[in-house]
Amino acid sequence: MQIEKFLIGNDFISSDAVAEIKNPYTNEVVSKAYKSGTDHINSSLDYLTEVFSKYKNSPVYLKAELLEKISLKISERKEELAKLITSETGKPVKFSRIEIDRAALTFKLGSEESKRIEGEVIDLDLLKGSENVTGIIKRFPIGLILAITPWNFPVNLVAHKLAPALASGNVVLLKPASASLTCGIEIVKIIKESCDELELDYCPVNVVTSSGSEIEKFISDDRIKMISFTGSSEVGWKLKKKINRQKISLELGGNAGVIVDQSADIKGAVAKIILGGFGQAGQSCISVQRVFVHEKIYDEFEKILIEETKKVKVGNPYKDDTDVASMITENDAKKIETWIKDAVGSGAELIAGGKRVNAVLEPAILVNTTKEMDVNSKEVFAPVITLTKFSEFKKAVEEVNDSIFGLQAGVFTENIHNAFYAFNNIETGGVIINNVSTYRMDSMPYGGLKDSGNSREGVKYAIEEMTERKVMVVT
Amino acid sequence: MQIEKFLIGNDFISSDAVAEIKNPYTNEVVSKAYKSGTDHINSSLDYLTEVFSKYKNSPVYLKAELLEKISLKISERKEELAKLITSETGKPVKFSRIEIDRAALTFKLGSEESKRIEGEVIDLDLLKGSENVTGIIKRFPIGLILAITPWNFPVNLVAHKLAPALASGNVVLLKPASASLTCGIEIVKIIKESCDELELDYCPVNVVTSSGSEIEKFISDDRIKMISFTGSSEVGWKLKKKINRQKISLELGGNAGVIVDQSADIKGAVAKIILGGFGQAGQSCISVQRVFVHEKIYDEFEKILIEETKKVKVGNPYKDDTDVASMITENDAKKIETWIKDAVGSGAELIAGGKRVNAVLEPAILVNTTKEMDVNSKEVFAPVITLTKFSEFKKAVEEVNDSIFGLQAGVFTENIHNAFYAFNNIETGGVIINNVSTYRMDSMPYGGLKDSGNSREGVKYAIEEMTERKVMVVT
Amino acid sequence: MQIEKFLIGNDFISSDAVAEIKNPYTNEVVSKAYKSGTDHINSSLDYLTEVFSKYKNSPVYLKAELLEKISLKISERKEELAKLITSETGKPVKFSRIEIDRAALTFKLGSEESKRIEGEVIDLDLLKGSENVTGIIKRFPIGLILAITPWNFPVNLVAHKLAPALASGNVVLLKPASASLTCGIEIVKIIKESCDELELDYCPVNVVTSSGSEIEKFISDDRIKMISFTGSSEVGWKLKKKINRQKISLELGGNAGVIVDQSADIKGAVAKIILGGFGQAGQSCISVQRVFVHEKIYDEFEKILIEETKKVKVGNPYKDDTDVASMITENDAKKIETWIKDAVGSGAELIAGGKRVNAVLEPAILVNTTKEMDVNSKEVFAPVITLTKFSEFKKAVEEVNDSIFGLQAGVFTENIHNAFYAFNNIETGGVIINNVSTYRMDSMPYGGLKDSGNSREGVKYAIEEMTERKVMVVT
Amino acid sequence: MQIEKFLIGNDFISSDAVAEIKNPYTNEVVSKAYKSGTDHINSSLDYLTEVFSKYKNSPVYLKAELLEKISLKISERKEELAKLITSETGKPVKFSRIEIDRAALTFKLGSEESKRIEGEVIDLDLLKGSENVTGIIKRFPIGLILAITPWNFPVNLVAHKLAPALASGNVVLLKPASASLTCGIEIVKIIKESCDELELDYCPVNVVTSSGSEIEKFISDDRIKMISFTGSSEVGWKLKKKINRQKISLELGGNAGVIVDQSADIKGAVAKIILGGFGQAGQSCISVQRVFVHEKIYDEFEKILIEETKKVKVGNPYKDDTDVASMITENDAKKIETWIKDAVGSGAELIAGGKRVNAVLEPAILVNTTKEMDVNSKEVFAPVITLTKFSEFKKAVEEVNDSIFGLQAGVFTENIHNAFYAFNNIETGGVIINNVSTYRMDSMPYGGLKDSGNSREGVKYAIEEMTERKVMVVT
């Protein structure tokens, strides 16, 4: 098995230490990578600081071509990269394939947005003495961005940092999750290869394989101008406390609520909730967790949901039709097993699933829960949903909002007033009408309110966060 | 009675001929204005051409202040101006008051938009050889605009030409409708007064009182860069055939359709349809004319509509609670009386109103009409609506579209899919959800498809039509 | 030699008549195409009207993919298509190659813009009674567009009609110039092939080979919603007089002025003026025609210009280093030869070139011309420039403006005030600072004022012209 | 003398403690205000949290009218408010008057922007499975904003927090600088009065008079969603370290550089540099501090600058023609006096001014300074400028950038390439061409890079920072 190197400066290098990544379903070692150390990080920061002055001034067509090449190479290697995701993270391969398609789109959007960075001309002759004064406004890159990415979308969430950064002239040090190191490295290899083909004598992206704690030592380093972090709320907000003058964009967790109104198409809603709640073992920050169903349709909804849940394919992630495989570690599965038991111990009823075999947790549905239970109040990040009845739409909105999180919500309704009421009143970054909270198109603004984060991704929107407006006043 | 002068150059002047305007309800002469002739028009075109080179280069704060002054003066003289509208056009005074508020808003929006004329900066280094090339894009005024305005909103539709034109640095020759000459003159007097207060030694607006045929002689004059016309479809499209290289924006007629879906709030819909169909005798190009009601609620809807129609106050336009007064001429009322009789003769049933006394036509409701009847296929522009039953929403959309016109439509529905289906498929410039076709906010894009016109007003959008983009390429 | 078919409906078809296209340099027949007739045009209009209802509702990703495929195929066949341009039009092959690169970019921009059609949400609660009212604004395609394109950029000017039309959901009937029929057909073949690969059962573009006069018979046909014409001013404005309710966008001619200020880099300016004035025999509507040079540098400028003009390679268009080959017909060359002689007869001096061999006219420089001479007042569209001395920058701007045309202008100056003065005061759609009028990037707004036209192309801007805003008001 | 109250909830209240504010020039007590305590802050946070849910949902016209009323009242009371500024801060009254005009504009821009909060509609059908999916994006207010404002523009910098906050539906707790308490209170009184006139039963703004250290105790309070701070870099960055999940926008200090290129208009540049460097005793964060002059014009520039500096009127701030009065405290004046002496002690030469009388420091010019001296490396915030010669424009840009700060810079040049080079390469939020760093129009984006801050004000841009995008996905 090849041991993957990390990229410091313009070269992939090795070290004395090696990290092993195991497939969480088979528990076999599936990849290995050399571990970078503190010195490597330090060198990379110096290198990228210098490279920034070149890359930011490169022509737009070069940035656009670089990003398009990356997108194309990812598409061309779709099957191989999808398998890599599945190997490292246990994500069922059908979802891994979708992720690769989306990552290719994300980089393509980066290529396209690089040609359209916002610029404005405004008249400034609003007061006497400013006759004929004009303002010319453009966005400029901010510099070196430290990107810290999670394992649950180990390719596309890397893309969501790199694509906007490269599109807008920034440089990036990537620190992929330990559980999906080679997914991150593989994308950087594709970037390096693309830079070489374009005959660049530098690479605007580096990748390290250091641990989170090693990276944290550099979190307030002045060479870093922005940290872009996707991961747990706990770690994210802790990092924010440690930074100095850096910007930090946080894409964190959630316990997404979904409302099924009395006018909803029940079967359609069930199908989407199962996909959004149990797909890839619920390990997405916008997985369906808390489902609120109108009392008039509750019984039918529950019945169909239980039936359909039984049909969910649990098992080997390499098989094409598997919906749910293992969670990322057995400990995570055990933790959620405990939450379920605690809930049942406090009066909840488990009406489907919930059995655990090693790291695999069978899709579970709980009813009669209270909002204080861990399965509601915390981020479950597992194939578990809770069902709650409601009698009035506005109350359901209140229940969705009764959370420390605010990432996305789903609302199944035919009623236009309820749809707009939800949009105006649900405290989340996104409200998905007639689909689940789990919906995301990579061009849309995406990000959380409250504990779920402080930024918006989606390539165009991430570019805004990674650039600063400057104005030239012409008098 | 004072005889109003017209404004040529920087002076109000008189002539040998005088036009008299009669109130269509009382038939009394309510105002008089000197009539301008061909020479006056000619002089004005010369004057405005010269003034354009000054006004276009005046600072933004001057344009903004001018427009704000106009807005304030209109507000301050609300009651007087509302009465003037009622005198000349017979519009019930409560609607005249609303028109004055809206005209003040329209000029205020002009003041605000003058500070926000679109400007863009775009990177042009998209191909080798264009490294570091930047495009700076601004909108520039096009020059002299001939504004031809109708009598049915004799103040606010003048505002919709003058506000965007003045905001963007253009100059205007106004030709108000013969039936509402002094309404037009009065607004220009306010503009002249405002210019004087700002110590301008010129006025970027002139007003003539010539007939339509006199104005038409100049329609292809090269000094005129754009014609902005609001009026009948017949005249509008005829003018378009006569122009030379001028731009022409046409805001024309309609036979607006309104759909009342089975999920609609019936009473709410009835109240709005009565206001939108009968208010100011239906003399608006977005008056409700053709109403399509779902069969499940048809009977109840018809019943309530008839009841409520009986409560409509018909009579003296000067009275505060009058809803419907006379039409603009007795001939117009007679023409529509004939259309109603023709419809009944061909099988339609008149279920409410329809009696005529002089120029006053009682609000009329027809059922069992066919789409070929004049009351459906032509613009009725009178207090007449037709009621038609439908069984399927998509068919109702088809019926709305089965028209040569396409200005606005109303859709009463609670269903979000029907609302968006209507938006995507109704062939009109505006689709009003849960309100009538008659709804208009003066900032929104407003204008027609098909025979209803070729442009969009609403101050920001009219500014786009009255300006041309220029690019400076900086290499 | 294969006889090219035209595309009506979803099939390429032949006819009884055949058109032959000769290379203007060799005078040999280089391609043949079947000629379409009136019935074909009629059938195509019916077909495209029907296809519009399908294509406009196709998903964005399909439109984007279609346009990207077209772009890729053009790139892949660059050399072959470049040769085709050279064969039909006599354009030196090095310029043909650049045109192919640009056409590929234009279609790629189309693909990208299809995902970014403007949409707005605006609050409408600006007056009492409109609380919580919101406007949702989108742009919708207008329908069937008749595209009439010229021979001088026989591929990229086709792209500038088709890319924005297809990006925004419109359908197109293309009528390419008679002199470059198979260039037009070839692009449509690529489109058809792309549609087939995407398994569309229709093609949103048709192409006819009829003459201009046959097409003109349909110019006011109601099935056509817009005419997009690029060609001579004479024909363009004549067409505008013939239309009915259609929109018409005109991209017409010019007699571009270029100013060389005293602060200019003389050698750099000369190099660009030679390329912009003589390249492809000056047969571009933005070719440099009238050059105004500051008196302080005039003598040096003239000297260098003459020297460099001698180095221009005149000859066989198939040779890689040829700058100037034949004009499109010998008659055109003769006409300009006459204009030069007339100028000289009236006092002008020919200081370089001007000899004609068949259709080839040697690059010519005239001095001591007056603005009334044809070589200044009309569009020369040949490798001829006039040189005029000026003493004050503002006067030079006036001279540039002393023209019936207003397409683009070039200004060589280091002075920022002069640059912005030129932008604000030169009456052209584009002002190119430190480059010639001939500069164009395909994403920038491009189009003329005055007799040079009434519209803006550049993909994003053309999309605006090919769409209509609709508003949904949600109450 | 009236003792001013502070506003907690909907009532102005008093307390046991009173703060006295002295005029720094006369040293007389000019105003008094009751001091608020910790409990008051706490009550206010509760109140405003509750009020937010009302205010955010109020119609746009109410917000617009509120802001316009505030603007009008400020204009109407211009002279009185200008005197108040001069009394509390010693600002020469002619500059106080300008500040009042600008504050009125800032609130007016708030009124106008409230009607134009950005909203987008985007197509999301970019991948299979998302056919016809649309995203509707709007900006929503974030909640309670703590505004901490400085004394040097005690009215307009309050306006720059309150206007965008109120325009976008947020609520604000204002903590004005201790030195200008009643300026802050006076604006809040105007706001309260305006709310009363609009018959609101609440006030979306409160004001406290507590010390900075008392406020700091609440800096990480979860009820506060954003801190908007304008003040010293030292305090600003310290606050950033103390916050929890809040957003923080920092508008901090600078040591602005101005370049005078060889092509500059020397007299014009001198006049503006004197105004920008010495006006209101240099107590602006964008005061001219470091002036870099091209060697070819250096001697003449220095000579004229010295001459003109002698004409600066130093003295009583209440006099209409005074340019420079006292600094805010005698200690501040002493500190700068020391910096000047230190500079001279290390080899610099004082070529004009520099004498101190109490808190008044005579406008001073230093030459032969080094960049390490306090007068260059720190923010001088006093009427002191340093003059440095340069030989090459790019080197001058480097010198401007050789600073920890990056707020604004001025560049006097006629050369367009130098102007754009400066824009692209000077590391400041604003680059003012042919004017000083001190230029600001209240609508333009304004804010710093590096130690000068992390945000942009200017009403439209501040609204972006005070709102969060939410997307409704309609499927």
Side-chain angles (χ1 to χ4, degrees), chain B residues 418-429:
Chain B
N418 286 354
F420 277 87
Y421 181 85
F423 181 38
N424 287 318
N425 292 283
I426 290 183
E427 296 160 349
T428 55

Side-chain angles (χ1 to χ4, degrees), chain C residues 49-117:
Chain C
T49 299
E50 203 196 318
V51 156
F52 174 56
S53 66
K54 293 186 200 172
Y55 184 64
K56 73 176 173 184
N57 289 318
S58 64
V60 169
Y61 62 75
L62 185 138
K63 292 171 192 129
E65 204 175 335
L66 172 60
L67 284 155
E68 183 148 40
K69 265 183 186 292
I70 299 166
S71 173
L72 271 172
K73 285 175 192 285
I74 289 173
S75 284
E76 285 164 9
R77 294 171 53 190
K78 175 174 172 177
E79 196 56 27
E80 169 203 348
L81 291 168
K83 290 275 164 54
L84 181 59
I85 293 175
T86 296
S87 287
E88 292 204 319
T89 69
K91 180 184 295 213
V93 71
K94 72 176 176 190
F95 297 118
S96 298
R97 290 188 186 114
I98 292 172
E99 183 175 344
I100 296 303
D101 285 343
R102 288 180 56 193
L105 174 63
T106 303
F107 278 110
K108 188 163 187 52
L109 290 169
S111 174
E112 296 174 4
E113 293 299 335
S114 71
K115 306 172 193 170
R116 294 166 174 80
I117 309 273

Side-chain angles (χ1 to χ4, degrees), chain D residues 113-129:
Chain D
E113 293 299 337
S114 70
K115 305 173 194 170
R116 293 164 175 81
I117 308 274
E118 176 204 87
E120 270 186 292
V121 186
I122 57 175
D123 285 323
L124 294 176
D125 48 352
L126 305 190
L127 286 176
K128 284 208 169 111

Side-chain angles (χ1 to χ4, degrees), chain C residues 115-127:
Chain C
K115 306 172 193 170
R116 294 166 174 80
I117 309 273
E118 176 203 87
E120 268 186 291
V121 186
I122 56 175
D123 285 322
L124 294 176
D125 47 353
L126 305 189
L127 286 176

Side-chain angles (χ1 to χ4, degrees), chain B residues 9-25:
Chain B
N10 206 18
D11 296 296
F12 279 96
I13 60 179
S14 57
S15 71
D16 294 337
V18 172
E20 294 188 343
I21 292 111
K22 288 182 184 171
N23 179 281
Y25 185 80

Side-chain angles (χ1 to χ4, degrees), chain A residues 60-61 125 131 414 416-417, chain B residues 60-61 125 131 414 416-417:
Chain A
V60 169
Y61 62 74
D125 47 353
E131 285 77 10
E414 296 294 292
I416 191 171
H417 293 110
Chain B
V60 169
Y61 61 75
D125 46 354
E131 286 76 9
E414 297 292 294
I416 190 169
H417 293 110

Side-chain angles (χ1 to χ4, degrees), chain D residues 23-26 82-83 85-87 89-97 314-326 360:
Chain D
N23 178 282
Y25 185 81
T26 64
K83 289 275 164 55
I85 293 175
T86 296
S87 287
T89 68
K91 180 184 294 211
V93 69
K94 72 176 176 189
F95 297 118
S96 298
R97 289 188 186 112
V314 180
N316 188 327
Y318 293 100
K319 285 180 64 183
D320 281 352
D321 63 351
T322 297
D323 298 307
V324 175
S326 55
V360 178

